[in-house]
Amino acid sequence: PGDRIVFASASLYSVPAAGGTPTLLTTPDPKAGEFEHRWPEILPDGRSVLFTAWGGGFDRTRIMSRSLVSDEVKTILDGGTASRYSATGHLVYYQAGTLMAVPFNPSSLVAGGTRIPLQEPVQTPAAGAANYSLSRTGTLVLVSGTARAERKLVWVDRKNSNNVSPVLP
């Protein structure tokens, strides 16, 4: 919406979809316990972006919004991360191992009502995001489970793909 891309690199930035110089949108507030602003998602009307104010752990996060037409920043809810807007009128987010949903009005930027658990457990990487995605039409995909996938760095011989050896024991 609005032909813009919003991205995170500790703070949030906006850049025209056609390219150009990024504009700073948010800066984390260390006095409020914020280390980074992460996981932006522009709402369908293109007037606001949701993001997570990351405080260094899942228990120190807030889901917030930043207006793209003014400088208004607003807290939507405490204790959630990696939020996405659902066409059903819900805010979907990760909290304490569970994917949750709460009724959400994208015009007033107010979440309220009963918080509904959608899936437990949902796998999370160390960086704090939940391994799920939600399409604009409401299709939800996720990786269930509690453990992060184990990753190993290996050498692979281009000439013999059967020759694979671990870099570290």
Side-chain angles (χ1 to χ4, degrees), residues 21-169:
T21 303
T23 303
L24 180 67
L25 293 177
T26 67
T27 302
D29 180 1
K31 291 179 184 175
E34 299 174 4
F35 297 131
E36 294 184 58
H37 290 167
R38 298 178 172 182
W39 307 298
E41 175 165 288
I42 299 174
L43 289 172
D45 67 4
R47 298 176 55 83
S48 298
V49 60
L50 298 174
F51 67 95
T52 299
W54 180 254
F58 290 112
D59 59 335
R60 296 182 305 277
T61 63
R62 286 190 309 282
I63 296 172
M64 302 182 73
S65 68
R66 168 35 161 103
S67 171
L68 296 173
V69 295
S70 72
D71 291 334
E72 181 183 7
V73 177
K74 179 178 181 178
T75 299
I76 306 294
L77 61 87
D78 290 319
T81 185
S83 63
R84 298 286 176 252
Y85 176 70
S86 171
T88 63
H90 290 84
L91 184 67
V92 177
Y93 62 97
Y94 178 83
Q95 183 177 38
T98 303
L99 199 59
M100 303 289 292
V102 64
F104 179 69
N105 182 325
S107 298
S108 64
L109 302 171
V110 172
T114 303
R115 295 181 183 197
I116 306 159
L118 298 178
Q119 173 71 35
E120 178 184 18
V122 174
Q123 193 179 84
T124 59
N131 286 332
Y132 84 99
S133 189
L134 184 64
S135 76
R136 291 280 189 206
T137 61
T139 300
L140 172 67
V141 294
L142 59 88
V143 179
S144 64
T146 56
R148 292 184 301 141
E150 188 174 321
R151 298 179 186 144
K152 293 182 180 178
L153 187 59
V154 296
W155 287 105
V156 179
D157 185 331
R158 286 185 195 209
K159 294 178 184 172
N160 179 2
S161 62
N162 292 324
N163 185 8
V164 177
S165 57
V167 172
L168 299 173

